Amino acid sequence: MEQMLSSLERDFLQFVRKTMHMNEALNLMLWDLKTGAPKLGVELRAEAFGTLSAEVHAMSTSVQMKSYIDRLSEIAVYDTLSAITKKTLDEVKRKYEQNIHIPVGEYKEYMVLLANAGSVWEAAREKSDFAMFRPCLEQIVAFNRRFVDYWGYEGNRYNAHLDVHEPGMTVAILDDVFTKVKEHIMPLVKRVTEANDQPRTSFLFHYFPKDKQREVSLYLLKAMGYDFARGRLDETVHPFALSINRNDVRVTTAYYEHDFRKSVFSTIHEGGHALYEQNIAEELIGTPLCTAASGGIDESQSLFWEKMVGQHKGFWKYHYPALKEWNREQFDGVELEDFYRAIHFVEPSCIRLRSDEMTYQLHIIIRYEIEKALFNHELEVKDLPEWWNEKMDAYLGIAPPDDAHGVLQDVHWSLGLIGYFPSYALGYLYAAQFRNAMINDLPDFDAFVESGNVAPIRAWLTDNIHLHGRRKTPNELLRDVTGEGLNPDYLLRYFEQKYAEIYRL
Ligand code: ZN
């Protein structure tokens, strides 16, 4: 009997590993598509990508998978499984439940819709005409409203979508947290933008050659402790980090020759994602646990490096002399203090991706409130531009001049990504909460950053967060590391202190 059970467990893990291998092929294809695949090969590649993805989807909802889930879930069997197999089973089951309730025909129809939605959205954004995207978006929303009923939900209908990206997250929690964030940040942004002593920023936009920026990016990744023996750096349009497998985690960045900040901070950000994936425990390789705990936790790691380390004054006290060497004229007469203040310039923008870290939170809250209303049938797609512009005016005090700078700016809805936006704001909140816990353990945090010695910081993140991969839910991880649930006070205090100093309030 004992023998039979362990062979069942072994077969299950092998079956799961096979899906992971197919995912590895998919990720490599994706990386290649985004970093220089020949243009004319893209269409055929997309077709091959679609075929393979459908295969993986079919495996995850197959009769065989169902049979593994049923047999391994029997209490007598479940109790004998290893800890990793138990967690793997939970994760596989979660995906199975998400996918299986959607009728096959409907799922296929939805995939076809999404396959074309990207180019419809792009054309509409190009023309700045929401009406062009509206019929397509109405269908995407209609499908996703039905998915809520297929999946089931507790409390608020939008919870079903939140749970996909951030397991356990609910409207009740976010309403409370985002209200606090909004009430705190709106007056702070006003004080900062009205402050007399504004940073000087003109030097930021000088010419900085691409090849030099690449050297800076390589230098920064090395300084963070990114392992180049298990990764590489490439150029792309929209930067991302991608784990092909745990020992091949790639970083991409983008170079703007008249704004070096793009590559510098994208590289640190994506490097933060990559450090997470590179430092997951080896024993999780080949399981769906060998990845970030959630979208929000993943974002907390990239933002921790980008904001709490990469925008730390001590970080530039150490690295600014090196940066200056790459482009002496640009930084001629720009003191460390000027540089530090300039990279914290706050200015409300219509565009989320061009926003500073404080107004960014308000952009996310707007998207959250809109999605919540859409999925509770309090808002229809046709009224989206009006809602969008009203909220922009109310929270950020600016009205988008057109749809391209308003409701059409983000790619997410055309990809069917609903419920994902909150992860970006959660990433900041988690990062600040982790920072507080880290400083309790490492009181010399500032001194480490200032001396260019980030190894203790990286080690802390690895031990407390990275190693666990997806073994813990976001909330379990947060509680284990910080001793409490989601608490926005840490981020709000961090902003308050930092910006009072920078803007001499
Ligand atoms: Zn990110």
Side-chain angles (χ1 to χ4, degrees), residues 269-270 273 299 302:
H269 180 100
E270 302 309 335
H273 281 304
E299 213 54 39
S302 53

Side-chain angles (χ1 to χ4, degrees), residues 301-461:
Q301 296 309 291
S302 53
L303 287 167
F304 186 89
W305 283 98
E306 183 191 348
K307 306 293 179 186
M308 276 91 198
V309 179
Q311 292 203 10
H312 191 293
K313 199 192 236 168
F315 183 82
W316 290 106
K317 195 169 175 188
Y318 185 82
H319 294 290
Y320 188 47
L323 178 70
K324 276 172 139 174
E325 285 306 306
W326 268 292
N327 205 5
R328 284 195 203 159
E329 287 149 55
Q330 176 163 21
F331 302 109
D332 192 28
V334 180
E335 298 301 320
L336 171 67
E337 182 70 13
D338 303 327
F339 178 83
Y340 177 66
R341 296 188 73 212
I343 61 172
H344 286 92
F345 183 55
V346 173
E347 185 180 46
S349 159
C350 290
I351 304 289
R352 174 179 65 87
L353 285 172
R354 281 190 220 134
S355 296
D356 57 85
E357 60 183 350
M358 274 202 294
T359 55
Y360 188 90
Q361 311 301 321
L362 301 174
H363 279 274
I364 298 306
I365 293 173
I366 289 173
R367 287 153 179 78
Y368 162 75
E369 290 176 353
I370 284 178
E371 287 190 347
K372 188 178 69 170
L374 267 177
F375 288 92
N376 284 292
H377 298 267
E378 290 158 8
L379 166 65
E380 293 306 322
V381 170
K382 68 176 168 50
D383 300 319
L384 261 177
E386 207 187 316
W387 269 60
W388 187 283
N389 295 346
E390 274 172 15
K391 283 193 183 282
M392 283 296 291
D393 190 33
Y395 297 171
L396 285 143
I398 44 176
D402 52 36
D403 293 341
H405 292 83
V407 68
L408 285 177
Q409 66 183 274
D410 291 313
V411 68
H412 300 66
W413 293 335
S414 73
L415 297 170
L417 273 179
I418 312 281
Y420 190 80
F421 282 119
S423 303
Y424 295 125
L426 285 168
Y428 275 89
L429 295 161
Y430 291 148
Q433 201 166 329
F434 288 144
R435 175 180 171 272
N436 186 70
M438 183 190 284
I439 290 173
N440 283 335
D441 292 347
L442 298 177
D444 294 331
F445 173 79
D446 290 331
F448 286 132
V449 175
E450 202 176 311
S451 62
N453 175 21
V454 294
I457 294 170
R458 203 175 54 244
W460 188 94
L461 292 170

Side-chain angles (χ1 to χ4, degrees), residues 26-84:
L26 281 165
N27 282 341
L28 190 56
M29 286 164 86
L30 194 67
W31 170 85
D32 179 63
L33 269 175
K34 303 273 183 200
T35 56
K39 260 194 184 136
L40 291 183
V42 168
E43 210 180 312
L44 289 174
R45 174 67 59 80
E47 197 186 317
F49 190 87
T51 306
L52 262 182
S53 319
E55 259 335 282
V56 176
H57 181 83
M59 277 177 84
S60 73
T61 54
S62 60
V63 176
Q64 196 173 358
M65 186 64 96
K66 171 91 168 89
S67 141
Y68 280 127
I69 292 173
D70 288 347
R71 283 185 288 163
L72 292 169
S73 297
E74 283 169 31
I75 291 174
V77 182
Y78 188 81
D79 286 344
T80 67
L81 301 176
S82 78
I84 291 179

